[in-house]
Amino acid sequence: MPVQITIIGLGQIGASLGLALAAHKDQVTTVGHDKDFGVERLAQKNGAVESTNHNLPSSVENANVVILALPVHQVRETLGYIAQDLKKGTVVVDTTPIKAEVAKWAQEILPDEVYYVGLIPAVGPDFLHETGTGLDSAKADMFSRSIFLLSAPQGTPGDVLQLISGIVGLTGASVMNTDFAESDGLMSSAMLLPQLASASLINATTGQPGWQEVRKVAGRAYYAATSAFTGQDDVAALQIQVMQNRENVIQKLDAMINALVELRYDIEDANENALKGRLQKAQDERQNWLKERSAASWMEAKREP
């Protein structure tokens, strides 16, 4: 009998998961919910979910797995709305980039007979350049050849972890098992630091002397370096993610500040060789990362829970 999966939140992540799972209707069936009724209808029309249910508690009543593809500031409230309607043995999964705090919410709110598993999906290498976040940017192969970080509380049954790993496999991705603390540490570098660097660049340039002229000629480099910010939801989510992961974020900010200070000293001292060396190292490391990311051959990702 197919596993029923309810996807709450039909933006890029939720709809892409649904589109990937649509090719496996013999194994899973999908129900979609979104706070925007128009998004629900379009997601069903596009094949991202087989059916929709705009009543949130009702949408999870028969689910074996509930995926919360939501910004982090909506997760706690949503857990409260659905907790009493989850059947025994249901697995609740979230896709937010912070896990230790969300795991606390799950432990506090979810019934004892309901399981929580944290997932952090990464887009496949073919989609690294895309910046869309909504339903229109969803793709069936969005996660092909990518890695999902998976973390769960101690004592979570093996068949629960196997179920979620299997669902990830249906999307074309692989699982890397982590604990909550490790997951938060990884995401402070992979996601939060780039967003904070983008915010800092914007604040360091806009409103400063000369900005009236700079804004007219700012081009591809400025756009790429500031593209971490889009809608208002991103600001609210980033604020919570940073504050709930403060220790890791502070360490990463200190490392970046040190790197900027060293760069500044090279420039101030007119140390051309040192400056060239730092820039060359950065270019080489980025090219190496892109090459590895495109190959998607991560032997070290195949770790036991």
Side-chain angles (χ1 to χ4, degrees):
M1 186 174 179
V3 173
Q4 180 175 315
I5 300 174
T6 295
I7 302 173
I8 300 176
L10 297 171
Q12 184 190 65
I13 298 297
S16 293
L17 288 171
L19 287 168
L21 296 174
H24 305 279
K25 292 182 180 179
D26 59 323
Q27 299 181 60
V28 299
T29 179
T30 54
V31 176
H33 171 88
D34 195 276
K35 62 182 179 180
D36 187 327
F37 183 64
V39 169
E40 282 183 352
R41 288 189 299 177
L42 186 57
Q44 185 176 7
K45 180 181 178 182
N46 293 349
V49 289
E50 294 176 53
S51 63
T52 62
N53 189 332
H54 199 59
N55 183 291
L56 180 56
S58 177
S59 71
V60 304
E61 283 181 347
N62 299 311
N64 304 109
V65 176
V66 176
I67 299 176
L68 305 181
L70 299 169
V72 66
H73 58 284
Q74 297 177 18
V75 169
R76 186 186 181 100
E77 183 180 36
T78 303
L79 288 172
Y81 281 138
I82 66 175
Q84 63 183 5
D85 296 285
L86 299 168
K87 66 181 184 179
K88 183 178 180 179
T90 300
V91 184
V92 176
V93 177
D94 83 299
T95 62
T96 65
I98 60 169
K99 286 293 173 271
E101 189 66 19
V102 175
K104 291 179 184 177
W105 300 342
Q107 183 179 25
E108 173 189 337
I109 297 170
L110 295 178
D112 292 338
E113 63 271 16
V114 170
Y115 301 105
Y116 164 74
V117 174
L119 282 182
I120 303 179
V123 301
D126 296 336
F127 299 97
L128 288 174
H129 63 286
E130 297 196 6
T131 58
T133 57
L135 173 61
D136 292 341
S137 63
K139 301 286 191 304
D141 58 346
M142 178 66 69
F143 306 112
S144 178
R145 298 186 299 124
S146 74
I147 294 288
F148 280 46
L149 298 184
L150 185 153
S151 50
Q154 288 187 356
T156 301
D159 58 346
V160 170
L161 300 176
Q162 203 167 28
L163 171 63
I164 302 306
S165 296
I167 291 172
V168 171
L170 296 180
T171 71
S174 302
V175 161
M176 185 170 86
N177 296 292
T178 67
D179 58 34
F180 298 129
E182 181 186 15
S183 179
D184 285 353
L186 294 173
M187 295 315 294
S188 64
S189 289
M191 181 175 290
L192 301 184
L193 183 61
Q195 290 180 289
L196 293 174
S198 175
S200 299
L201 174 58
I202 294 169
N203 290 335
T205 51
T206 60
Q208 300 299 316
W211 173 246
Q212 294 300 315
E213 286 67 43
V214 170
R215 65 194 175 109
K216 301 172 186 176
V217 295
R220 187 175 298 166
Y222 192 89
Y223 178 84
T226 59
S227 61
F229 279 164
T230 52
Q232 182 62 35
D233 276 354
D234 293 334
V235 174
L238 180 58
Q239 176 192 7
I240 293 176
Q241 291 161 15
V242 168
M243 296 308 293
Q244 299 297 346
N245 199 2
R246 292 193 300 275
E247 185 175 346
N248 286 313
V249 170
I250 289 171
Q251 290 177 355
K252 301 306 184 294
L253 283 173
D254 285 344
M256 185 165 187
I257 290 169
N258 288 336
L260 287 170
V261 168
E262 290 172 352
L263 194 65
R264 181 191 181 281
Y265 285 152
D266 289 342
I267 296 170
E268 183 179 33
D269 296 341
N271 192 334
E272 296 182 10
N273 289 334
L275 176 60
K276 182 179 179 181
R278 292 188 196 282
L279 298 178
Q280 187 64 56
K281 180 178 183 296
Q283 185 180 68
D284 292 344
E285 293 291 354
R286 186 175 189 275
Q287 289 175 345
N288 289 337
W289 166 69
L290 285 173
K291 190 181 300 181
E292 293 171 342
R293 193 71 157 78
S294 297
S297 179
W298 311 103
M299 294 304 295
E300 68 273 20
K302 297 177 173 60
R303 300 185 294 174
E304 290 300 318

